[in-house]
Amino acid sequence: MTRFICLIFLLLSNVAFSKHSSKEATDALLAQLSTTREEIEKESLEWEKGFVHYLIDDADPNVQLLGYYKQLSDVKFDDNEKLASVGVELNLILSSNQLDKKSISTLTEICSYDKLRTFCDQEAIFAKQLQSMPDNAFIYLSSLSQAIKDDNQKGITQAIDDMADSKYFITFYYLHQEYRIKLEEYVKTHPFPKNKLAMERLEVNRYMCCNKIDTIDEMQDIMIHIRVLGAKMAESIPAYRDLTQVCLNDLSQEKSCLKLAELLITQSKSIISARIGYAIKINIFKQKGEKEKLQQATEDKTNYTKHYECLVDIMNYGKTALSSKGAEFNKIAEPIERKYGEVAYYDSLAQSNYNYYSNLGDTEINNPNNCISPQSSN
């Protein structure tokens, strides 16, 4: 799975680049700025705190939730009074009729944190999910998890059946559209700390080699780009363990698990969902000795994997990832991911990168149209 997580270094840009940076150049810049790395990080943390409060103070509950999600992800609260206070706010947000499906999913995740679980209205959360997306198999994962904890076989069967009878399996494993909007809005009135910009500019220019970043405005755009990607990478991967535990180990659930596997493959928007769907099908066919079906499922999985890996290779070609072009390509791809899913997101980035280098006369970059179709064996 790590191959297609190709932009993870952006989340930890300072760490990743420092390993390849010239200590002399960094020290010279710090001397020129009359500061230290510690001071730069302190300023950055203050800026981040301000942004979190900006989100929490917004009138839109979807935006408020983004603030609490970031705050709770960055800070480990041990204060029950503080946690209870956050729980009250989350329950208020839950009662809003303005929440979109992505936010409902995010709130469900936040309230699954061990330290917050008892402060959230879990019944109201499931009722909200059921009301807003009754055909989404994903909403029954929590019921399955609880049934397994209670060793309730009837509850396990019911949860698997409910998933199988659903119409799609959407995990909302992407960044909420309001995050970028609010980040760009905040930066206009609260620019990134100058010393942080200067340090990031040094690191990015070292990575870029050519086509150096010349202006602060361009660097600010790239900083927004990096933070958007960082927030995207921070999105939690849904907990599939209980689902795979049942469908990989209990053949009595075979019929429902095969239906569910098909949903995961054809009616989901994330690569990991599809891969788990293929794993379930392959395991069941293997255990039952159904060789033809096993061969077909294995070929389908291989084609699917080759397809998105091919796209990743194209989107990684050259060094546009940290450039203004990379920021531009990602901004185009984000709404595509929300509507059509992860593979479509990679396809958009690959196509943009291909067009860019082709227009420069580069004949080495592969055409995305050459990537094998995930359905070519069907």
Side-chain angles (χ1 to χ4, degrees), residues 28 64 89 102 107 124 130 168-169 177 213 286 310 321 362:
Q64 292 171 21
E89 296 301 325
K102 165 63 179 176
L107 194 148
L130 196 58
Y168 57 91
F169 194 107
Q177 62 185 12
I213 298 168
K286 187 179 295 184
C310 177
D362 191 321

Side-chain angles (χ1 to χ4, degrees), residues 57-77:
D57 291 341
D58 197 274
D60 184 343
N62 296 284
V63 177
Q64 292 171 21
L65 195 59
L66 289 172
Y68 283 114
Y69 184 79
K70 184 164 178 55
Q71 185 182 65
L72 291 165
S73 297
D74 293 344
V75 180
K76 305 300 181 186
F77 287 119

Side-chain angles (χ1 to χ4, degrees), residues 55 78 175 177 181 248 272 330:
L55 295 173
D78 292 318
L175 192 60
Q177 62 185 12
I181 293 170
L248 296 182
I272 189 171
N330 200 67

Side-chain angles (χ1 to χ4, degrees), residues 102-121:
K102 165 63 179 176
S103 292
I104 294 171
S105 175
T106 299
L107 194 148
T108 303
E109 179 192 337
I110 293 174
C111 283
S112 70
Y113 296 169
D114 287 341
K115 291 183 178 180
L116 262 176
R117 182 183 295 275
T118 58
F119 298 109
C120 294
D121 189 338

Side-chain angles (χ1 to χ4, degrees), residues 166-179:
S166 300
K167 294 181 180 178
Y168 57 91
F169 194 107
I170 305 297
T171 63
F172 306 98
Y173 183 43
Y174 51 76
L175 192 60
H176 196 288
Q177 62 185 12
E178 285 294 328
Y179 184 87

